[in-house]
Amino acid sequence: MEANFLTLFQLNYLPTLFVQYDQIRLKVDQPVFLNFFLFSMFVLATSLTLKKTSHDQPFSVLQTEQMKGLAIIMIVVHHLYTYVLEDYQELRDINGLLGPSGVSVFLILSGFGLCVSLRKKGLKYFFYKRILKLYVPILFAMTSLIFLQHILLHPETNLLIHLTRIFTNLPGIDKNLWFILFILFWYCLVFLAFKLNLSDREKIIFLCLFSLLILTVPRFSPSWKINAFSFPIGCWLSFNSDTVIPQLKRHLNQRFLVILGILSSSLLILRITRGLSTQTAQLSFLGVLLAIGILAGTYFFYRGLKVRKLNLYVPKETLSTFLVFLALCSYLRWVFQYTFFEFKETPKWLFENFTHLLLAFFIILLISLMLKFSLYSSFLSFIGSISFELYLIHGMFLYTFDFILFRGSIYITFFIYFLAICLLSVLLNRVSASTSRLFLKH
C-alpha cells in the first residue's frame, strides 16, 4: 500500500513540485541576451552595494571574500547552462570558461590560505580542523539531499547504504563534490610537504610534480586535469606574499593604466588560448616517477592510521585522517587500476590550465583594483562568506530538484532561485559553525 502511494505521488504530484534535468532541458529564446542579462544584474548588485573601506590590503579577508563571491556566481551560471538549459553553441566557449575558472580562483585562494595558516600555527590538529570545516556542512547538506532522493525518487533503496557514501563516494551523491576530493588530495600533499620539512621551493616542486602526475594519468577526472596547477600556485603566492603583495599594492597605486592594460590583454589572450586548448598535440614529457606517489602515499598511510601505544582510544586527529583516506581511497584506487602514463593529451590540458589560471588572475586583479578607489562590494563580500555552502546547495536545487526555474520566465525565476539558495546557505553556515565550535571545545 505504501509503495503504491509513493508511486502515485511520483507520477502525479512530484512533477508539479520539482523538475530534474537528466533527460529534459529548459529552452530559452535568446540565450546570449539571457547570459548578458544575468551578469548585468550581478554587476548592478555589486555596484549598488559599493562601500568605502580604509587600510585594506590585497588578499585580505575582505578581498578574498569578494573574489570567492564572484567565483561562485560564475560557477552557478556555468552549471545553469551546462545542466539545465539546452546546449547553445554560441555560448559554449564563454560559459565553458566560467565554471573551471571560478574553481581555479577557489583553489588558488585555498592554497594561499592553507599555507599562511600552516606557517603561523603549524601542523597540530591539521586534519581535524579541516575535516570539521569541510565535513560538517557536507554532512548537513548531503544528508538532506539523500533523504530527498530516498523519499521522492528511490524509496526502494537502502537509506543507510546511501548515507555511507558521504564518506566513501562523494561524487556519487552530487556531481559537484569532485571538488571536495580534489581539495582533500592537496591537503594530504601539503601536509606531507610540511611534515618532511622541505624548503619553500622544494614544496612547490613537490606539489607541481603531482600536478604533472594528474595531467599524465588518463583516468584522472578532466575536472582535476583542467585545474591541476591552481592549488600549487596559491601555495607559491603564499610563500612569496612578502614580495608579491607589496608589489601588487604599489602597482595598483602607481600604475593604474598598466593594470587596466593587463586586464584587457588577458581577455584577448583568453580568446586565443581557448581555441588552442581544444586541440590535441603530440608532445613528449619526462614521466613523473610513480615511485614518488607510492612512497608518499605509503608514508602518509602509515602516519595517518597509526594509533598511539595501541590504546583503544583513537585521537581525533587520527580519526580525521582516516576519514580523509576513506574519501580518497575508492577514487584513487579506480584511477590507478590498470592505468599507464599517457602524454599525447598533456599539451591540451596544459593549455586548459593556462587559460583558466589567466581568467582566475583576471578576477583576482579586478577585485584588487577596487583598492585603488578604497571600495568594496558588500554584495560580493556576503556571497563570498557563504560561498562554500552555496557550492554544496546550489546543484541540489538547480538540476536535481528544481523547484522554481521551470515555473515562468527564467529572467525572474533564476533570481528567486538564487535568493532561496542564499537564504539556505546562510542557515547552513550558521548551523555548521555552531556545530564545529562544539567539537573544537572538546
Side-chain angles (χ1 to χ4, degrees):
M1 185 69 181
E2 182 182 357
N4 291 335
F5 171 77
L6 288 172
T7 303
L8 185 66
F9 175 79
Q10 291 174 355
L11 291 175
N12 297 327
Y13 299 104
L14 186 59
T16 65
L17 298 175
F18 301 106
V19 170
Q20 288 187 299
Y21 294 104
D22 293 333
Q23 304 296 331
I24 62 170
R25 296 293 180 94
L26 283 180
K27 184 177 181 179
V28 294
D29 295 330
Q30 297 178 308
V32 176
F33 180 76
L34 173 63
N35 203 47
F36 173 78
F37 177 79
L38 294 180
F39 280 102
S40 295
M41 291 297 102
F42 284 122
V43 169
L44 181 63
T46 300
S47 303
L48 292 176
T49 58
L50 288 176
K51 295 182 178 180
K52 281 285 184 179
T53 184
S54 59
H55 307 297
D56 197 14
Q57 301 289 327
F59 287 93
S60 66
V61 173
L62 185 59
Q63 285 283 300
T64 56
E65 280 186 346
Q66 292 176 91
M67 294 170 191
K68 290 177 182 178
L70 182 53
I72 193 62
I73 289 171
M74 292 168 58
I75 290 170
V76 171
V77 174
H78 169 76
H79 287 161
L80 173 71
Y81 277 86
T82 303
Y83 299 119
V84 175
L85 302 183
E86 288 192 359
D87 185 19
Y88 297 103
Q89 183 67 36
E90 59 268 36
L91 286 173
R92 187 173 295 175
D93 282 348
I94 182 63
N95 281 308
L97 282 171
L98 293 178
S101 301
V103 169
S104 183
V105 172
F106 278 110
L107 289 168
I108 291 171
L109 296 180
S110 295
F112 181 88
L114 179 63
C115 291
V116 168
S117 175
L118 288 177
R119 281 185 151 186
K120 290 180 179 179
K121 302 176 182 178
L123 289 171
K124 186 176 181 180
Y125 295 130
F126 176 86
F127 284 108
Y128 182 62
K129 293 177 181 178
R130 281 151 190 86
I131 279 290
L132 281 179
K133 186 177 180 180
L134 285 175
Y135 261 91
V136 169
I138 287 173
L139 278 171
F140 284 117
M142 293 305 108
T143 299
S144 302
L145 176 58
I146 289 170
F147 269 101
L148 279 174
Q149 289 175 331
H150 177 74
I151 295 170
L152 299 178
L153 300 178
H154 307 293
E156 74 283 356
T157 58
N158 189 311
L159 182 60
L160 290 177
I161 290 178
H162 280 281
L163 287 172
T164 60
R165 291 191 300 167
I166 295 175
F167 301 101
T168 60
N169 185 20
L170 280 171
I173 305 173
D174 188 294
K175 60 192 76 176
N176 289 331
L177 296 189
W178 68 267
F179 178 77
I180 306 302
L181 291 183
F182 200 38
I183 283 290
L184 292 177
F185 176 80
W186 288 115
Y187 282 178
C188 292
L189 295 179
V190 170
F191 175 84
L192 272 177
F194 275 84
K195 195 71 175 178
L196 294 172
N197 290 320
L198 302 177
S199 68
D200 290 348
R201 179 177 294 181
E202 290 169 340
K203 289 185 181 79
I204 297 302
I205 294 172
F206 176 77
L207 295 175
C208 286
L209 284 176
F210 280 91
S211 296
L212 289 173
L213 180 69
I214 291 170
L215 294 186
T216 54
V217 174
R219 281 202 172 191
F220 273 113
S221 163
S223 298
W224 287 42
K225 290 178 181 291
I226 60 179
N227 274 310
F229 287 93
S230 298
F231 195 94
I233 284 179
C235 297
W236 177 85
L237 284 173
S238 172
F239 297 148
N240 295 275
S241 59
D242 292 342
T243 55
V244 171
I245 291 178
Q247 286 183 6
L248 177 58
K249 187 177 180 181
R250 186 171 64 253
H251 287 352
L252 288 172
N253 290 332
Q254 299 177 357
R255 304 179 183 180
F256 179 60
L257 291 179
V258 173
I259 297 298
L260 285 180
I262 292 172
L263 291 174
S264 57
S265 300
S266 297
L267 291 178
L268 178 62
I269 296 171
L270 276 172
R271 185 66 187 89
I272 298 171
T273 56
R274 181 61 181 166
L276 290 174
S277 67
T278 60
Q279 305 298 319
T280 58
Q282 298 292 333
L283 190 62
S284 296
F285 287 97
L286 291 175
V288 180
L289 293 177
L290 189 58
I292 295 175
I294 295 173
L295 289 173
T298 303
Y299 170 80
F300 185 61
F301 184 82
Y302 170 77
R303 295 290 299 178
L305 297 183
K306 183 180 178 182
V307 180
R308 297 175 185 176
K309 298 180 181 180
L310 300 178
N311 288 335
L312 294 177
Y313 169 70
V314 180
K316 52 191 176 184
E317 173 69 356
T318 302
L319 179 60
S320 303
T321 308
F322 174 72
L323 291 178
V324 171
F325 267 93
L326 196 61
L328 285 172
C329 182
S330 60
Y331 178 71
L332 293 179
R333 183 182 61 183
W334 176 80
V335 165
F336 288 104
Q337 187 178 22
Y338 313 117
T339 191
F340 299 92
F341 292 118
E342 177 60 69
F343 301 109
K344 66 179 182 180
E345 292 288 322
T346 304
K348 169 188 173 182
W349 299 122
L350 283 173
F351 274 124
E352 288 278 3
N353 274 264
F354 177 74
T355 302
H356 300 133
L357 283 169
L358 195 60
L359 186 53
F361 279 112
F362 176 89
I363 293 166
I364 291 170
L365 272 178
L366 191 64
I367 297 299
S368 300
L369 198 58
M370 296 171 71
L371 291 172
K372 171 72 178 179
F373 308 98
S374 299
L375 294 173
Y376 80 99
S377 168
S378 57
F379 168 72
L380 286 182
S381 180
F382 164 70
I383 298 299
S385 68
I386 56 170
S387 57
F388 182 60
E389 290 78 12
L390 273 172
Y391 187 85
L392 294 176
I393 284 178
H394 82 275
M396 187 189 317
F397 298 109
L398 183 67
Y399 45 76
T400 304
F401 293 106
D402 169 28
F403 64 97
I404 188 64
L405 295 176
F406 69 99
R407 296 184 185 278
S409 171
I410 198 166
Y411 292 89
I412 299 173
T413 57
F414 176 81
F415 291 102
I416 297 174
Y417 154 79
F418 193 77
L419 177 62
I421 61 171
C422 284
L423 293 174
L424 288 172
S425 296
V426 170
L427 177 63
L428 177 59
N429 178 276
R430 292 181 179 178
V431 171
S432 300
S434 299
T435 306
S436 297
R437 281 195 294 269
L438 287 176
F439 279 102
L440 286 172
K441 287 179 180 178
H442 296 87

